[in-house]
Amino acid sequence: MDAHQIQQLGDELYQALLAREAVEPLTQRHPGITLDDAYLIQLRMIERRCAAGERVIGKKIGVTSQVVMDMLGVDQPDFGHLLSGMVFNEGEAIDTRRLIAPRAEAEVAFILDRDLTGPGVTAADVLRATDCVMPCFEIVDSRIRDWKIRIQDTVADNASCGVFTLGGVRRSPRQLDLALAGMVLEKNGEIVSTSCGASVQGSPVNAVAWLANTLGRRGISLKAGDVILSGSQSPLVPVRPGDSLHCSVGGLGSTSVRFV
């Protein structure tokens, strides 16, 4: 895929974000699109958002469960960029009108206090570099019509990032075993899933190490102060106005989000 096509598709996805109108799958229109092409399209979309006044504040990891990998036909996760315009405070209502087809994921967020540069980053390095962890919600959203995505579609679409919230108790990941920490997700007062951190690459810490090493091979470092969303520990939960979600993580307390 040439530079003009990459720019054109990145601009198309940016306009879809602004208009809240989905586009047809890129993989249907451009069957030869590669994963490298998709990441370049993603970068173009991020460039447009930053030129409009946002700034990159971290990264998200997606496609962390084996079930989703099998569905998309891949053998590794993907990543996207978190921007300043995506952040909602805990308890702040999320207006679904700013999204297209929102779905919620419960996960654990990492806040770094030192840089992480791969390749060669280990789980122990991640633990040393992390200031704190906390429960969070990522509200994913697809600019691809009806979520008809292959891995190249979601990568190009910034890993289907929508918005996110942080909450609960800030704790050092060295004070608990995130692989064993249980998570309970409730929607409108009813339990919809239970899980533990081991469902994410064996541990959310491993997922962050994968991210640092994957970025490192692309010449990118994770920076002190970055927010890292380590990957969903729950199924994708469709949400609409009036819904509320509550997530509890062992050792990290709970966080909630509501939609209007």
Side-chain angles (χ1 to χ4, degrees):
M1 185 167 280
D2 63 33
H4 175 72
Q5 289 175 306
I6 286 167
Q7 178 174 318
Q8 185 177 43
L9 291 174
D11 290 345
E12 179 183 351
L13 287 168
Y14 176 67
Q15 291 301 324
L17 171 76
L18 295 183
R20 278 66 168 172
E21 293 182 359
V23 301
E24 296 302 320
L26 276 57
T27 50
Q28 288 184 9
R29 293 179 283 148
H30 302 276
I33 187 173
T34 68
L35 200 55
D36 284 338
D37 292 334
Y39 276 116
L40 290 172
I41 294 166
Q42 179 190 116
L43 283 176
R44 173 60 180 176
M45 186 185 184
I46 298 306
E47 286 173 1
R48 292 294 306 273
R49 294 187 70 164
C50 289
E54 294 186 74
R55 58 188 177 85
V56 175
I57 60 172
K59 302 289 187 291
K60 68 152 283 186
I61 308 168
V63 195
T64 52
S65 74
Q66 193 61 51
V67 170
V68 178
M69 286 187 201
D70 291 344
M71 180 184 75
L72 294 176
V74 295
D75 60 1
Q76 63 178 336
D78 67 5
F79 67 86
H81 295 72
L82 302 179
L83 294 112
S84 53
M86 297 177 176
V87 185
F88 277 73
N89 296 320
E90 185 176 22
E92 184 181 1
I94 294 177
D95 188 343
T96 57
R97 290 174 298 182
R98 66 173 287 175
L99 303 167
I100 298 171
R103 302 180 180 185
E105 298 178 333
E107 50 195 280
V108 172
F110 288 63
I111 311 294
L112 301 183
D113 69 355
R114 65 181 72 172
D115 294 357
L116 273 175
T117 304
V121 171
T122 66
D125 295 327
V126 172
L127 292 174
R128 284 191 291 269
T130 302
D131 175 54
C132 64
V133 290
M134 66 194 74
C136 71
F137 280 107
E138 181 188 359
I139 315 305
V140 295
D141 194 30
S142 182
R143 272 65 62 176
I144 306 299
R145 194 174 310 283
D146 299 325
W147 282 92
K148 293 179 179 178
I149 56 173
R150 296 178 62 192
I151 186 65
Q152 296 95 325
D153 294 297
T154 186
V155 165
D157 190 26
N158 194 30
S160 303
C161 279
V163 299
F164 68 95
T165 67
L166 303 174
V169 178
R170 292 174 176 250
R171 287 193 62 185
S172 166
R174 299 176 290 280
Q175 296 175 345
L176 71 164
D177 188 337
L178 286 173
L180 299 180
M183 175 182 283
V184 178
L185 175 63
E186 299 174 56
K187 179 180 180 181
N188 301 330
E190 295 186 2
I191 294 175
V192 294
S193 76
T194 59
S195 63
C196 67
S199 63
V200 176
Q201 301 289 293
S203 169
V205 179
N206 296 338
V208 177
W210 171 87
L211 176 65
N213 290 324
T214 300
L215 290 173
R217 286 189 286 272
R218 293 175 175 271
I220 304 168
S221 293
L222 294 173
K223 299 296 185 182
D226 277 356
V227 179
I228 311 297
L229 305 189
S230 62
S232 178
Q233 294 184 32
S234 73
L236 286 170
V237 179
V239 292
R240 59 184 182 181
D243 286 338
S244 62
L245 299 176
H246 182 83
C247 164
S248 300
V249 180
L252 292 179
S254 63
T255 187
S256 299
V257 63
R258 59 190 178 91
F259 301 88
V260 297

